[in-house]
Amino acid sequence: ALGFTVSFTAVITFARDYDAIIRALPLTNILSETDAPYVAPAARRGERNDPLSVKDVVSQIASIRSEDPETVRAALLTNAAHMFEIV
């Protein structure tokens, strides 16, 4: 209701603490990030994290929300473009 944008890291790939928030937020208020070089996604735990891991974060957001991954990816790109005034 306050219009905040919330960004999620690879923590969501191995912790369920944020699932309810991810489901409750409008998709227009969500961003994704990686925390690189730390906190790699579940599939790469113990390895150095990199920006390409954002794919895992976006995929997990889509999974938690039971939405099409491509729809979520496109929405998060739009959100980032607006946040950083790229468009």
Side-chain angles (χ1 to χ4, degrees):
L2 296 174
F4 292 124
T5 299
V6 181
S7 187
F8 296 96
T9 67
V11 167
I12 67 168
T13 67
F14 56 83
R16 303 285 56 96
D17 301 337
Y18 304 98
D19 290 8
I21 297 166
I22 292 168
R23 281 189 214 96
L25 283 170
L27 191 54
T28 55
N29 293 74
I30 297 176
L31 291 173
S32 58
E33 58 180 292
T34 63
D35 267 345
Y38 307 106
V39 192
R44 296 181 43 218
R45 291 292 287 169
E47 297 177 22
R48 183 179 174 90
N49 196 9
D50 60 58
L52 291 175
S53 295
V54 77
K55 293 178 183 181
D56 296 305
V57 177
V58 173
S59 177
Q60 186 66 25
I61 291 170
S63 176
I64 292 167
R65 294 175 60 89
S66 298
E67 294 183 12
D68 174 62
E70 180 55 30
T71 300
V72 171
R73 184 196 68 77
L76 297 186
L77 278 173
T78 298
N79 297 349
H82 287 297
M83 173 66 72
F84 296 106
E85 299 179 350
I86 296 170
V87 292

